Amino acid sequence: MIEAVGLTKRYGVKTAVDNLTFQVRPGAVTGFLGPNGSGKSTTMRMILGLDAPTSGQVTVGGRRFRDLPNAPRQVGALLDAKAVHGGRSARQHLLCLAQLSGIPARRVDEVLGVVGLQEVAHRRSKGFSLGMGQRLGIAGALLGDPQVLLFDEPVNGLDPEGIHWVRNLMRKLAGEGRTVFVSSHLMSEMALTADHLIVIGRGQLLADMSVKDFIARNSAGYARVRTPETSEKLVRALSEAGAHVQPEQDGALRVSGLALPHISDLAFDLGVRLHELSPHQASLEEAYMRMTQAAVDYRSTQDQRFGLQQAGPVPAQAQYGGYPPPHAAPQHQWQPAPGPNPYQTAPPPQGFGAPPAGPVGVSPAGPHPGAMAPPVAAPPTAVPPAVPPPPQDAPPAPAAAPSLSKRESES
Amino acid sequence: MIFTPAVLRSEWTKVRSVSSTMWTLASALLVTVALSAGLCALTNAQFDNLSQQDRLTFDAAGTSFSGMFLGQLAVIVFGVLVVAGEYSSGMIRTSLAAVPQRAAFLFSKLAVATALAFVVGMVTSFASFFLGQALLGSHRTGIGEPGVLRAVFGAGLYMTLIALFSMGVAAMLRSPLLSLGILMPFFFLISTILAAVPVAKDVARYFPDQAGQKIMQVVPSSDGSAYGPWGGLGIMCAWVAVALLGGYLVMSRRDA
């Protein structure tokens, strides 16, 4: 159990972590989400006693980390895949960590096997790829067989197979009753791995709830309904039918809780003409981005490439994420904007910098396999699915990572 | 308790599993012994050309440690890399997550590295002495002469203290480049140059290396020092203590 109370860290005038209070409970994977620079790593460092909080405190099992007797046997952490001396071999790196807490050398070889690094155990870690470094860091965290595990961005640089392996490892550790705290900036990854979510932005707590609640609250499908003129009749009828109706900026209605054919029937009965009736699905990634939008420190702007490229006609379809534009929409609303486009129905296939979509689909053990699928019956031609459907012949989850392929160990 | 066997064993694994340890300590030994031997051979060949004054104050034991002014630079690199290497590699976060007791971590690391530097320092000083004396021919001195054993032993201590001083400075500065950028010019140039300038000489003689080198001399230098060989070593120890205290305070107070 990790418990933070009023945890605050200031660097000069910048507040990196602002009055965070949360609990990380045993027996579950708790995802720690936030954009870059939101204070995730600082919080992790304060849990481990590396940074001293400006105010507030954080305890592990009721004690501050520095007061824990034999800390490596109680808390294992992967903070930074590069936090190793490159001149030391993988085995020696783990050996000097093991000796600190009286862990026998046999255990070093065990964890090297668990993370699949035994073939490169005697190579200097300088030549390791980022993925191999992550595996080495995870090995270090597992070394003391601790009850509390912290992982800071563990899937960074891992190949799809490695991501799959890490996900199963986390779930297995939590299933054994351990406390597992994993940071990530990828909502899609956490939706598959975590049971509970703690979302922060600019160092402040934005959400602390179970993944199930987060999905229920943020990922409901809705329909956009546009009528030629504002129709009080239709709004009242929709509300009476149990729908939740919100006006959108451009005069359209955002209707949730009612299937599309039902909306159409109601409109027909009332004699209201519809100019638009379209299914929409807010993905978790979108919900997360909406939540953290105000808290993003580093935002990219459109690359205008002035003077570099002659302006040519852009294929119209490419800009709309494959979704046909309603003819009634004013042109300016369909210009690509730097922020999330409110009219975009689903993330474009290239996604939001998510890892290769492959493993997302092939997780039969994932907690919410249908989490990203639109609940509203949507015409498959109109909305590109956010995630490819899980193949029927998906392989069972491997218990331990297979050893590194020859290709990776030679890279 | 400051030293725990587990942390000491771990630090021993750390220090012997990186190649920089081997390279820096081996070059400290080789450079010191080889340069001292060369200077002894040269002195022996040119002895008759020396001035009357130089011949009267000739220090046979001290001459056999004359290579140490260069060899100490390798010792400095060793000390700096042992401590600041943790920071430059990021290993410090992994280490401190495993040993939250920072005093135990720092002093165990220093103890292991200092013990290693002590062994190498003693081997270096005895090897330098015996090889140097063999090459000095008729001008040699013996280990049994008054003050000679103290000088040989002191030369080994001097190398150990230089390593310890560097580790303290590196723990304060936390960057290998910064630490080497300050220590190398200081010991190689600034201290040596100031010690030769008439006015600055009175200050420079209290620098750690100038004071510490007194222990290696058997024949007292003619410029009338304010302290003897052990007094000089004491001054050096004070510098080392200040560097270590600073290093400890930085390590225990600052975020890793």
Side-chain angles (χ1 to χ4, degrees):
Chain A
M1 166 97 118
I2 301 168
E3 193 166 14
V5 180
L7 197 61
T8 302
K9 179 73 182 179
R10 284 192 201 90
Y11 296 105
V13 290
K14 184 169 164 55
T15 303
V17 174
D18 192 359
N19 198 22
L20 275 189
T21 299
F22 61 84
Q23 288 184 346
V24 184
R25 290 177 193 82
V29 178
T30 302
F32 192 30
L33 276 164
N36 294 336
S38 56
K40 297 189 298 292
S41 295
T42 307
T43 306
M44 289 256 183
R45 283 203 305 271
M46 285 194 284
I47 294 172
L48 291 171
L50 295 175
D51 290 10
T54 310
S55 66
Q57 66 163 351
V58 59
T59 55
V60 180
R63 290 179 179 213
R64 287 186 311 147
F65 188 82
R66 286 203 200 189
D67 302 333
L68 282 176
N70 210 354
R73 297 295 279 270
Q74 305 202 31
V75 183
L78 159 75
L79 277 188
D80 180 353
K82 290 184 249 28
V84 295
H85 192 297
R88 208 169 273 139
S89 76
R91 191 175 184 281
Q92 279 165 330
H93 168 75
L94 293 174
L95 186 61
C96 62
L97 290 180
Q99 287 172 335
L100 285 173
S101 37
I103 297 165
R106 183 167 30 91
R107 174 71 184 154
V108 170
D109 297 313
E110 268 174 34
V111 293
L112 278 169
V114 168
V115 301
L117 284 180
Q118 64 272 70
E119 278 177 36
V120 292
H122 295 282
R123 279 200 13 214
R124 290 187 187 184
S125 57
K126 208 180 321 195
F128 280 16
S129 66
L130 183 54
M132 290 158 86
Q134 293 283 18
R135 285 169 189 264
L136 181 57
I138 291 170
L142 297 177
L143 205 52
D145 197 27
Q147 280 301 309
V148 177
L149 289 130
L150 290 97
F151 299 96
D152 198 359
E153 309 270 0
V155 299
N156 261 5
L158 283 179
D159 51 17
E161 185 192 42
I163 294 174
H164 193 205
W165 167 67
V166 167
R167 192 182 298 148
N168 285 319
L169 177 73
M170 309 267 152
R171 303 215 54 80
K172 181 169 151 278
L173 291 168
E176 291 164 358
R178 300 174 209 259
T179 306
V180 182
F181 194 39
V182 192
S183 85
S184 176
H185 50 251
L186 298 175
M187 180 69 220
S188 52
E189 178 56 35
M190 283 298 103
L192 289 167
T193 313
D195 305 301
H196 195 89
L197 287 180
I198 292 174
V199 184
I200 64 170
R202 292 241 166 102
Q204 288 175 324
L205 194 67
L206 298 179
D208 182 357
M209 61 180 78
S210 72
V211 173
K212 217 177 277 176
D213 287 349
F214 190 89
I215 290 169
R217 205 167 298 185
N218 293 299
S219 163
Y222 64 94
R224 260 173 65 84
V225 178
R226 183 190 298 278
T227 49
E229 62 279 324
T230 320
S231 168
E232 283 300 321
K233 267 194 303 185
L234 182 63
V235 171
R236 206 173 315 119
L238 288 170
S239 301
E240 278 165 9
H244 183 65
V245 185
Q246 281 175 304
E248 297 223 284
Q249 281 173 341
D250 62 342
L253 298 172
R254 183 187 184 125
V255 182
S256 51
L258 216 55
L260 263 68
H262 200 159
I263 298 172
S264 174
D265 290 348
L266 279 173
F268 183 79
D269 293 345
L270 294 169
V272 175
R273 215 195 314 244
L274 297 184
H275 278 186
E276 183 189 349
L277 175 60
S278 57
H280 287 253
Q281 172 64 40
S283 72
L284 277 184
E285 197 77 49
E286 271 186 290
Y288 163 60
M289 282 177 70
R290 247 200 321 276
M291 182 179 274
T292 56
Q293 200 176 6
V296 171
D297 280 337
Y298 309 101
R299 197 190 302 274
S300 59
T301 55
Q302 192 92 22
D303 184 357
Q304 301 290 351
R305 300 194 199 91
F306 279 135
L308 285 175
Q309 209 173 23
Q310 291 196 323
V314 181
Q317 285 296 329
Q319 290 189 14
Y320 307 130
Y323 184 68
H327 51 264
Q331 194 57 40
H332 72 269
Q333 289 173 345
W334 293 92
Q335 296 300 317
N341 186 342
Y343 300 100
Q344 206 161 4
T345 57
Q350 60 265 40
F352 292 90
V360 179
V362 294
S363 172
H368 313 289
M372 311 286 278
V376 175
T381 47
V383 182
V387 174
Q392 291 305 305
D393 56 344
S403 65
L404 281 176
S405 63
K406 211 71 181 156
R407 174 180 45 77
E408 189 176 351
S409 62
E410 279 170 6
S411 62
Chain B
M1 194 164 114
I2 286 184
F3 302 111
T4 52
V7 186
L8 287 172
R9 196 177 317 126
S10 166
E11 287 300 331
W12 171 237
T13 305
K14 272 190 200 169
V15 80
R16 72 188 161 81
S17 59
V18 291
S19 51
S20 64
T21 303
M22 172 69 189
W23 284 114
T24 49
L25 290 179
S27 42
L29 197 155
L30 288 178
V31 167
T32 308
V33 173
L35 194 61
S36 302
L39 287 168
C40 283
L42 192 70
T43 310
N44 188 33
Q46 299 288 318
F47 196 80
D48 295 334
N49 300 340
L50 292 177
S51 68
Q52 176 82 22
Q53 172 76 9
D54 284 345
R55 264 182 275 174
L56 284 174
T57 60
F58 177 67
D59 187 344
T63 308
S64 58
F65 302 122
S66 48
M68 203 162 280
F69 82 98
L70 202 61
Q72 69 181 357
L73 298 186
V75 178
I76 291 170
V77 176
F78 166 72
V80 165
L81 288 185
V82 162
V83 173
E86 289 261 349
Y87 288 96
S88 61
S89 65
M91 180 72 188
I92 187 76
R93 292 190 292 278
T94 308
S95 297
L96 287 182
V99 195
Q101 294 78 23
R102 296 190 178 189
F105 168 72
L106 179 66
F107 289 113
S108 297
K109 177 178 278 299
L110 296 187
V112 168
T114 305
L116 200 56
F118 179 77
V119 171
V120 173
M122 285 302 163
V123 171
T124 305
S125 67
F126 277 89
S128 280
F129 177 78
F130 287 115
L131 187 62
Q133 297 312 310
L135 291 169
L136 273 174
S138 58
H139 311 292
R140 74 170 71 121
T141 182
I143 192 97
E145 299 294 319
V148 171
L149 185 61
R150 180 260 298 157
V152 180
F153 191 72
L157 277 184
Y158 174 80
M159 270 179 92
T160 312
L161 287 171
I162 284 283
L164 203 46
F165 182 72
S166 311
M167 289 185 250
V169 171
M172 276 192 279
L173 299 175
R174 318 212 296 180
S175 146
L177 276 180
L178 194 59
S179 308
L180 289 177
I182 288 176
L183 288 171
M184 293 287 236
F186 180 80
F187 282 110
F188 192 59
L189 295 173
I190 299 173
S191 171
T192 322
I193 290 171
L194 288 186
V197 175
V199 185
K201 206 170 12 183
D202 295 332
V203 180
R205 79 165 52 123
Y206 292 99
F207 285 170
D209 57 331
Q210 298 296 327
Q213 277 164 7
K214 277 279 179 290
I215 194 88
M216 299 182 229
Q217 295 165 2
V218 175
V219 181
S221 49
S222 50
D223 55 0
S225 278
Y227 51 80
W230 291 107
L233 200 74
I235 292 171
M236 189 181 186
C237 284
W239 279 90
V240 171
V242 169
L244 291 182
L245 182 68
Y248 168 70
L249 289 178
V250 168
M251 168 75 74
S252 57
R253 300 275 165 86
R254 278 185 61 179
D255 291 341

